[in-house]
């Protein structure tokens, strides 16, 4: 069941991404190696088609920059999170937005906006937002709008959380962060740098069809 949401996110990004400027898949974590990623803090492991990390780990994708990135995030046991990283210059100079299980039950329930790896509040108002309902897995997207505002979209609940940045950033790197048993099951990026276009495996196509209409409607609604 954990993979269904991730597979739907994969299909959504690949099928309508080009027309609607949705991020495209650049790493499905299926090759068992972490080449192309640089650990800035802690370490990450790729196994079983997912990426996981040590406590407070942060990795950046080599040679890429973007205003929009996304991940298919899967919650683990106890407190855990998967974070999206934009504008990376250093561990203290980056936009770090995480979806987290904050009540020890293995389901994501909150979204936090930080400056730096679990640093200060990144927004002028509250940095903490609550999901309408808890989820085990979801497509999770982060966008820096370039006008001093940012937005995070949670596909499973069809919620967008946005705010005004409290600070500027000096970097352009993109990446992921981890804590606990949180997993990444696909990484997407909106980029002008050519990247391979993945093709869904035949065995996955049946699952990809599940929820496509609903997720497609939610994604189009967000973009309008």
């Amino acid at each position: 069941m954990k993979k269904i949401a991730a597979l739907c996110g994969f299909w959504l990004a690949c099928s309508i991404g080009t027309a609607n400027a949705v991020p495209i898949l650049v790493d499905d974590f299926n090759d068992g190696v972490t080449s192309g990623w640089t650990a800035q803090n802690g370490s990450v492991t790729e196994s079983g088609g997912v990426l996981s990390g040590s406590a407070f780990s942060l990795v950046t994708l080599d040679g890429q920059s973007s205003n929009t990135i996304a991940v298919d995030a899967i919650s683990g046991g106890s407190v855990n999170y998967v974070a999206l990283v934009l504008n990376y210059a250093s561990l203290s100079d980056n936009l770090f937005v995480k979806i987290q299980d904050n009540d020890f039950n293995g389901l994501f329930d909150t979204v936090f906006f930080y400056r730096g790896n679990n640093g200060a509040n990144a927004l002028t108002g509250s940095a903490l937002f609550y999901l309408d309902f808890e989820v085990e897995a979801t497509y999770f997207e982060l966008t820096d709008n370039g006008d001093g505002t940012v937005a995070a979209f949670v596909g499973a609940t069809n919620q967008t959380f946005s705010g005004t940045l409290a600070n500027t950033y000096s970097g352009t790197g993109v990446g992921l962060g981890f804590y606990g048993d949180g997993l990444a099951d696909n990484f997407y990026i909106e980029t002008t740098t050519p990247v391979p276009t993945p093709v869904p495996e035949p065995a996955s196509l049946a699952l990809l069809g599940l929820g496509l209409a609903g997720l497609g409607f939610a994604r189009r609604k967000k973009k309008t």
Side-chain angles (χ1 to χ4, degrees):
M1 292 298 294
K2 287 185 177 182
K3 289 286 186 176
I4 292 178
L7 287 168
C8 289
F10 169 89
W11 174 261
L12 182 64
C14 291
S15 62
I16 66 173
T18 301
N20 296 321
V22 175
I24 62 172
L25 180 64
V26 295
D27 198 337
D28 58 12
F29 306 123
N30 287 336
D31 61 6
V33 297
T34 57
S35 58
W37 295 85
T38 297
Q40 306 294 346
N41 194 65
S43 62
V44 292
T45 301
E46 188 173 312
S47 178
V50 293
L51 189 70
S52 61
S54 60
F56 305 110
S57 58
L58 190 155
V59 292
T60 52
L61 183 60
D62 298 343
Q64 292 290 344
S65 61
S66 180
N67 290 328
T68 300
I69 57 175
V71 66
D72 288 324
I74 302 171
S75 180
S78 189
V79 173
N80 72 96
Y81 67 68
V82 177
L84 290 168
V85 178
L86 279 180
N87 306 328
Y88 183 88
S90 69
L91 288 175
S92 61
D93 184 4
N94 66 83
L95 177 60
F96 185 96
V97 182
K98 62 183 181 179
I99 186 165
Q100 178 165 308
D101 166 22
N102 208 37
D103 59 7
F104 300 84
N105 69 347
L107 300 173
F108 291 131
D109 48 53
T110 49
V111 171
F112 295 81
F113 287 73
Y114 288 123
R115 176 181 172 82
N117 189 353
N118 289 278
N121 185 347
L123 304 180
T124 56
S126 174
L128 169 63
F129 298 87
Y130 293 91
L131 303 188
D132 285 341
F133 52 89
E134 298 180 335
V135 298
E136 185 178 17
T138 184
Y139 174 83
F140 183 44
E141 181 182 291
L142 174 62
T143 298
D144 182 338
N145 295 313
D147 60 359
T149 65
V150 292
F153 173 67
V154 179
T157 63
N158 191 29
Q159 287 177 274
T160 299
F161 306 105
S162 59
T164 301
L165 291 172
N167 302 97
T168 58
Y169 298 85
S170 61
T172 61
V174 300
L176 290 168
F178 296 93
Y179 183 86
D181 297 327
L183 302 172
D185 183 23
N186 291 316
F187 184 72
Y188 310 87
I189 181 171
E190 182 178 312
T191 177
T192 57
T193 303
V195 293
T197 301
V199 177
E201 298 176 4
S204 300
L205 291 177
L207 285 176
L208 293 176
L210 295 175
L212 177 60
L215 280 176
F217 172 79
R219 194 67 183 82
R220 289 192 297 273
K221 182 177 179 183
K222 170 184 176 281
K223 288 293 183 180
T224 57

